[in-house]
Amino acid sequence: MTATADTTAAVEELDVLVIGAGFAGIYQLDRLRDLGYSVKIYEAGSGLGGIWYWNCYPGARVDTEGPLYQFSYKDLWRDWEFRELYPGWSEIREYFDHLEEKLDVKKDIRFDTRVTGAEFDTERDQWVVHTANGRTARCTFLVPCLGFAAKPYVPPIAGLESFRGECHHTAWWPQEGVDLTGKRVAVIGTGASGVQVVQESARDAAETTVFQRTPVLAIRMGQRTLTPQDQDEIKAGLPERFAYRGDTFAGFDMDFIPRNAVDLTPEERTAEYERIWAAGGFRFWLAIFQDTLFDPAANDHAYAFWRDKTRARIDDPKVADTLAPMEAPYPFGVKRPSLEQNYYDVFNQDDVHLVDISENPIDTLTPTGIRTADGAEREFDLIVLATGFDSVTGGLTQLDIRGTDGTLLRDQWAGGVDAHLGIATANFPNMLFVYGPQSPSGFCNGPTCAEIQGELIVETLDHLLRNGHTRIESTPEADRTWSEHVAGLVEPTLFPLAKSWYMGANIPGKAIQSLNYPGGLPSYRQQFADAKAEGYAGFTIA
Ligand code: N01
């Protein structure tokens, strides 16, 4: 990308520079501005929304119920209604317009301003931050709010450059959109993004071919348009649901059933499965029996229920074997189970084809299409790379951020992340990241985390600035202890058994570790509160 030089300003001096104008960044800007600090957001995109600015591919839609996918503070929810239970990206962008109307944030955001790097000035205890358009800022505190999916992953597929049709990664989708009508579309990747594109493509395109390496275990969304009566009920219940979401594992209004699947009779178990399945959404994942993500036997029960529900919708047994095999391809729920509306049904259409690339890998892209190892060549007009992200850490490590000893953050973390409380790392003082590595981030509903973890960071910054502190840095010991704590929490779970982005295993060569805090939001809040009560234990403050 070429950046237009921004030569309008001299060096901008700030208390806090926030990177990213998604939920987390907007919360930081608004709260810190209220407290009287000088703060700005630098945002690479041209509009608000963060992930919802970049991810505008066909079918992009949130997997959280809309009413819970919004801020609870400042009564911003009182005059906002999502039209669908699971809103699509354009409706979510309307929500960000609503935030602008209420909070007037844009005046303190520099759009089209991609941060490229930063170094710490130890003389003045300031970050010196650089952007692609030639701007420089000096700030006491740097607060990256990059989200966990800020660095798209494009696998090294042979011949990628030779393809002469259109080819887009889902997270670099053209803002003006791409009309699928009448096209021959290939979708590579079947995570949440792939599932959503396939559903749209199956409706609009002439032919859709899905290249699947590992089956996604997608669950029933239960999408619906919300009626005026729904809206009234939602409004009435929201304060309670907002209050509850901070006490749940993942920041939703649901939590695990405090019973073990293995202790129940088959009839009791099935009755519960049917109940949560019918309710839809993430309930068949985050409101399931508490042993599901720990005990292989419990997990097998959940998988068998999912498999039977799913296979019943697929006409061709061979296709069913690829999409929903009799044996679990990995434990249920340890790769993210996307929500689907008609994903499995579309494979019954004559114009939707499935290629199992675990058996028959992609050999190369050609100028006109894709050749697989069996020699078959298929022609396409559009190839969609739904191949995911260098998640959680990639957004930070792609920047040239240098610590006090000159080390780049990506080099410091090359062998794995150590980040005290998931907000800071030694050698990089005054940089506190929201929704970052080793915090609840990818395991937590975004707006919940932006508010709850975000407020903990706002309080920390306010404490420092109000008391004239100019420097905070986590100690290497505290970073290591937190990492060991995270590793200890994930070890008894089934998460390490799948090659997922949760474990960094989707990127060749990336260190394998839990990138999110697996202890749940309440435990995370408690640990933060304990550290704070002990005068920010694990940090040196000057
Ligand atoms: O990415 P993914 P995503 N050759 O990493 C395949 C959030 N999100 O963008 O499983 C062929 O899940 C890869 O195969 P495998 C959500 O948290 C939310 O879909 O590694 N295929 C996989 O199928 C989600 O979890 C929403 O074998 C290759 C796919 O690409 C996260 O973002 C919507 C390959 C990547 O799946 C990421 O989702 C979208 C290769 N070389 C995203 N490399 C909603 O809320 C990778 N793949 C709705």
Side-chain angles (χ1 to χ4, degrees):
M1 186 193 307
T2 50
T4 314
D6 179 349
T7 50
T8 52
V11 174
E12 184 156 46
E13 294 252 359
L14 298 162
D15 293 324
V16 182
L17 177 64
V18 175
I19 313 174
F23 279 104
I26 290 173
Y27 187 83
Q28 291 296 307
L29 172 66
D30 183 51
R31 290 284 296 117
L32 291 165
R33 218 172 44 174
D34 281 355
L35 292 169
Y37 301 116
S38 62
V39 50
K40 288 262 187 298
I41 294 179
Y42 285 8
E43 163 59 54
S46 307
L48 298 176
I51 195 76
W52 297 108
Y53 175 79
W54 299 105
N55 283 252
C56 56
Y57 58 82
R61 170 179 308 289
V62 70
D63 277 351
T64 301
E65 289 185 9
L68 286 186
Y69 199 70
Q70 61 177 321
F71 284 132
S72 68
Y73 83 121
K74 287 193 173 175
D75 282 354
L76 290 163
W77 53 277
R78 283 202 188 275
D79 48 0
W80 176 258
E81 287 174 354
F82 282 113
R83 295 183 293 277
E84 288 186 304
L85 185 57
Y86 293 91
W89 65 270
S90 63
E91 210 187 339
I92 299 171
R93 283 193 182 182
E94 288 173 39
Y95 175 69
F96 280 95
D97 292 341
H98 167 71
L99 293 181
E100 168 60 11
E101 207 175 288
K102 293 283 172 185
L103 302 175
D104 194 18
V105 282
K106 279 188 179 172
K107 66 174 190 236
D108 287 313
I109 303 177
R110 297 198 184 285
F111 292 104
D112 304 306
T113 301
R114 179 177 290 278
V115 169
T116 51
E119 65 269 344
F120 194 70
D121 176 346
T122 46
E123 298 285 308
R124 293 174 59 186
D125 284 346
Q126 278 184 328
W127 281 102
V128 184
V129 180
H130 309 285
T131 72
N133 54 1
R135 180 172 277 280
T136 302
R138 282 183 161 269
C139 56
T140 310
F141 297 102
L142 182 62
V143 180
C145 294
L146 303 173
F148 67 73
K151 186 182 178 195
Y153 172 63
V154 176
I157 301 173
L160 200 55
E161 299 301 322
S162 70
F163 180 62
R164 287 201 306 259
E166 271 190 274
C167 179
H168 303 293
H169 189 285
T170 47
W172 283 319
W173 204 257
Q175 290 291 320
E176 66 278 14
V178 177
D179 186 4
L180 305 182
T181 315
K183 294 205 169 118
R184 297 163 301 172
V185 176
V187 181
I188 303 177
T190 54
S193 307
V195 165
Q196 296 185 331
V197 175
V198 168
Q199 292 175 147
E200 301 293 305
S201 181
R203 190 191 59 206
D204 297 339
E207 298 273 336
T208 302
T209 306
V210 181
F211 291 82
Q212 174 196 286
R213 189 166 67 177
T214 310
V216 60
L217 312 183
I219 51 186
R220 195 181 155 263
M221 175 176 271
Q223 170 73 310
R224 64 193 164 90
T225 303
L226 297 170
T227 63
Q229 191 190 336
D230 288 331
Q231 301 290 7
D232 290 345
E233 285 170 16
I234 285 167
K235 278 269 155 33
L238 264 183
E240 203 180 321
R241 294 170 81 188
F242 282 145
Y244 178 46
R245 67 182 182 175
D247 295 332
T248 65
F249 178 89
F252 298 97
D253 61 344
M254 61 179 90
D255 221 336
F256 298 105
I257 301 170
R259 274 182 298 158
N260 292 334
V262 295
D263 294 339
L264 303 181
T265 65
E267 294 72 26
E268 289 169 334
R269 223 172 15 237
T270 304
E272 276 297 271
Y273 286 151
E274 289 287 1
R275 183 183 64 76
I276 53 178
W277 185 265
F282 279 149
R283 289 173 188 82
F284 197 78
W285 181 37
L286 298 173
I288 202 168
F289 296 108
Q290 64 182 5
D291 53 349
T292 308
L293 300 176
F294 290 86
D295 180 345
N299 197 280
D300 284 348
H301 290 310
Y303 181 76
F305 181 89
W306 173 86
R307 178 199 62 207
D308 295 348
K309 283 273 183 217
T310 304
R311 289 180 71 96
R313 290 162 58 188
I314 305 166
D315 296 342
D316 180 340
K318 213 165 159 297
V319 173
D321 284 344
T322 305
L323 292 172
M326 293 307 292
E327 291 294 316
Y330 51 85
F332 180 84
V334 301
K335 277 167 91 100
R336 185 172 170 293
S338 316
L339 299 189
E340 58 85 33
Q341 300 184 66
N342 63 341
Y343 181 68
Y344 295 106
D345 311 300
V346 302
F347 289 94
N348 298 328
Q349 294 176 202
D350 292 341
D351 56 1
V352 176
H353 318 288
L354 181 64
V355 180
D356 181 353
I357 54 173
S358 69
E359 286 189 349
N360 180 23
I362 293 174
D363 175 26
T364 186
L365 264 59
T366 67
T368 52
I370 298 178
R371 189 167 66 224
T372 39
D374 61 359
E377 281 199 44
R378 296 169 177 85
E379 296 203 338
F380 297 107
D381 304 304
L382 168 66
I383 296 178
V384 179
L385 298 173
T387 44
F389 302 87
D390 179 353
S391 300
V392 190
T393 51
L396 284 161
T397 56
Q398 72 183 339
L399 305 179
D400 294 331
I401 305 179
R402 281 187 194 281
T404 48
D405 69 358
T407 303
L408 284 164
L409 184 63
R410 67 173 151 273
D411 291 337
Q412 181 159 312
W413 284 353
V417 181
D418 294 314
H420 181 40
L421 288 168
I423 66 162
T425 194
N427 194 27
F428 293 81
N430 294 12
M431 181 171 76
L432 302 179
F433 27 86
V434 186
Y435 210 65
Q438 299 191 322
S439 79
S441 46
F443 282 161
C444 190
N445 181 20
T448 311
C449 194
E451 275 187 352
I452 291 181
Q453 192 201 25
E455 187 59 24
L456 297 172
I457 289 175
V458 167
E459 282 171 15
T460 308
L461 292 168
D462 184 42
H463 166 79
L464 297 166
L465 286 161
R466 204 164 12 91
N467 294 296
H469 296 297
T470 59
R471 192 167 159 141
I472 184 170
E473 184 175 2
S474 64
T475 67
E477 298 73 34
D479 289 349
R480 250 194 322 276
T481 304
W482 186 257
S483 260
E484 285 163 10
H485 173 56
V486 168
L489 286 169
V490 85
E491 197 266 335
T493 74
L494 302 175
F495 281 96
L497 299 182
K499 284 181 80 176
S500 75
W501 66 261
Y502 287 149
M503 299 297 297
N506 65 324
I507 302 296
K510 190 165 173 174
I512 302 296
Q513 63 179 149
S514 178
L515 293 170
N516 304 301
Y517 178 75
L521 192 55
S523 162
Y524 178 79
R525 295 172 75 184
Q526 188 57 51
Q527 307 224 33
F528 204 109
D530 292 347
K532 185 180 165 194
E534 291 166 33
Y536 290 97
F539 294 96
T540 51
I541 292 179

